[in-house]
């Protein structure tokens, strides 16, 4: 009898131990569930941009790009499925991104209206130029934030004399906002490698070739001062003859151009005036036709989309370098 009681006592203790263990597991599970919201909160992204601070609780799902070079950044990051629209194409989309571009609706030839943006249910707008978030664009960041729409202005297109690293900072910010940081770093790594490959082909004593960037102009010349063209020309082994001018795009006199006497002229190709028409003007202008570049017919054609602060920087530098030093790229 005593033996039977002892057995029951051992069984009772064992059962109590099992119940206690189960209770501890439930407490642990409960504690785990309480930790989850903290983990979710850690995915928030805070970005300071264009004098605003914006907090993203999750990656945007209905983005709109408002200028070509930022459209191409979005597509290069593989974000076409997160886009509900694009706008303002300067020329043909970058060929490697054509298939991805065709998946995104085109909202307008230039900037869409605020009503068009609202109709898409957009939660993120990405502008390449300041005009995108002006009265002529789709609205100010404050107005759009009141509508529940985040905004990002491409910083490298909005500062004086931007460098390659400024473009990389923009790419990192967009990759961070959309939680594709690894894609962003891979894109930057490839862009950096492509640029370095070109630089290895340049002559060792490059950098003194006098270069004029010709955008447009008849009575005066609209050219590049301290904008991104200055950086592209420098990396390609040239010297922008108006790189000392403080402003970005600037207007100079023909006399100043003749005095600084460019050896090469870079033609920015876009809009209704073709590159052929621009070259014809330079050849026939009484003052400009006397420059060394025109006399030797040394012109380099660069599409505007390649001249912008986007993913085409290596292509732009290659075009310039081949035009500056053709013997090095045969």
């Amino acid at each position: 009898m005593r033996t039977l009681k002892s057995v029951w006592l051992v069984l009772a203790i064992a059962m109590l131990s099992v119940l206690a263990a189960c209770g501890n597991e439930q407490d642990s599970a409960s504690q785990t569930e309480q930790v989850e919201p903290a983990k979710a909160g850690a995915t928030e992204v805070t970005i300071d941009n264009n004098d605003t601070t914006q907090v993203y609780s999750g990656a945007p799902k209905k983005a709109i790009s408002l200028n070509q070079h930022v459209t191409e950044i979005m597509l290069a990051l593989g974000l076409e499925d997160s886009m509900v629209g694009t706008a303002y194409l300067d020329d043909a989309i970058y060929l490697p991104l054509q298939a991805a571009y065709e998946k995104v609706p085109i909202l307008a030839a230039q900037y869409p209206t605020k009503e068009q943006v609202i109709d898409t249910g957009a939660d993120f707008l990405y502008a390449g130029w300041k005009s995108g978030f002006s009265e002529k664009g789709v609205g100010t960041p404050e107005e759009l934030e009141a509508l529940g729409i985040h905004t990002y202005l491409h910083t490298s297109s909005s500062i004086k004399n931007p460098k390659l690293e400024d473009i990389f900072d923009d790419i990192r910010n967009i990759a961070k906002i959309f939680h594709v940081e690894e894609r962003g770093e891979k894109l930057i790594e490839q862009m950096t490698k492509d640029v370095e490959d070109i630089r290895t082909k340049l002559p060792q004593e490059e950098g003194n070739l006098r270069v004029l960037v010709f955008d447009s102009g008849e009575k005066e010349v609209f050219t590049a001062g301290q904008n991104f063209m200055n950086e592209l020309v420098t990396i390609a082994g040239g010297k922008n003859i108006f790189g000392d001018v403080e402003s970005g795009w600037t207007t100079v006199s023909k006399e100043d151009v003749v005095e600084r006497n460019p050896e090469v002229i870079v033609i920015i190709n876009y809009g209704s005036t073709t590159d052929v028409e621009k070259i014809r003007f330079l050849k026939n202008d009484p003052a400009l036709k006397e420059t060394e570049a025109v006399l030797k017919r040394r012109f380099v054609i660069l599409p505007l989309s390649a001249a912008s602060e986007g993913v085409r920087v290596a292509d732009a530098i290659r075009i310039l370098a081949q035009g500056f030093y053709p013997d090095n790229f045969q």
Side-chain angles (χ1 to χ4, degrees), residues 159-202:
I159 59 176
K160 184 172 69 176
N161 205 16
K163 307 297 183 183
L164 281 178
E165 192 57 43
D166 295 310
I167 300 175
F168 297 160
D169 286 343
D170 279 318
I171 291 173
R172 286 190 176 99
N173 280 340
I174 297 302
K176 186 177 181 182
I177 289 170
F178 285 87
H179 300 282
V180 291
E181 290 93 333
E182 186 175 345
R183 295 185 205 171
E185 292 306 319
K186 285 183 178 179
L187 176 59
I188 291 169
E189 181 180 349
Q190 186 61 56
M191 290 171 66
T192 302
K193 180 183 181 301
D194 291 343
V195 171
E196 289 305 316
D197 288 346
I198 297 165
R199 297 184 76 163
T200 60
K201 298 179 182 179
L202 294 172

Side-chain angles (χ1 to χ4, degrees), residues 31-89:
Q31 289 173 3
T32 301
E33 290 172 359
Q34 292 172 1
V35 170
E36 288 304 319
K39 290 182 180 178
T43 64
E44 283 189 346
V45 172
T46 300
I47 300 290
D48 292 323
N49 174 261
N50 196 23
D51 297 325
T52 67
T53 297
Q54 306 213 6
V55 179
Y56 297 80
S57 58
K61 297 180 180 179
K62 295 184 176 183
I64 295 175
S65 57
L66 298 174
N67 297 102
Q68 180 166 348
H69 60 301
V70 298
T71 297
E72 292 179 350
I73 285 176
M74 292 280 289
L75 298 178
L77 289 171
L79 296 173
E80 59 270 17
D81 290 338
S82 297
M83 299 174 68
V84 293
T86 184
Y88 227 131
L89 201 66

Side-chain angles (χ1 to χ4, degrees), residues 2 8 103 226:
R2 286 182 181 177
W8 281 109
K103 296 180 181 179
Q226 291 187 20

Side-chain angles (χ1 to χ4, degrees), residues 90 129 211-225 227 229 233 240 242 248-252 257 264-279 281-282 288 299-305 307-308:
D90 295 312
W129 311 111
V211 178
L212 168 70
V213 177
F214 183 78
D215 177 282
S216 57
E218 293 185 2
K219 295 182 179 180
E220 294 181 300
V221 174
F222 191 56
T223 186
N227 63 18
M229 277 304 307
V233 167
N240 176 15
F242 291 105
W249 290 101
T250 187
T251 300
V252 299
V257 174
V264 178
I265 297 177
V266 176
I267 308 292
I268 304 299
N269 190 23
Y270 71 99
S272 58
T273 304
T274 67
D275 55 330
V276 174
E277 292 171 326
K278 290 180 180 181
I279 291 173
F281 165 75
L282 292 168
L288 299 175
F299 304 106
V300 180
I301 312 301
L302 187 67
L304 177 61
S305 53
S308 303

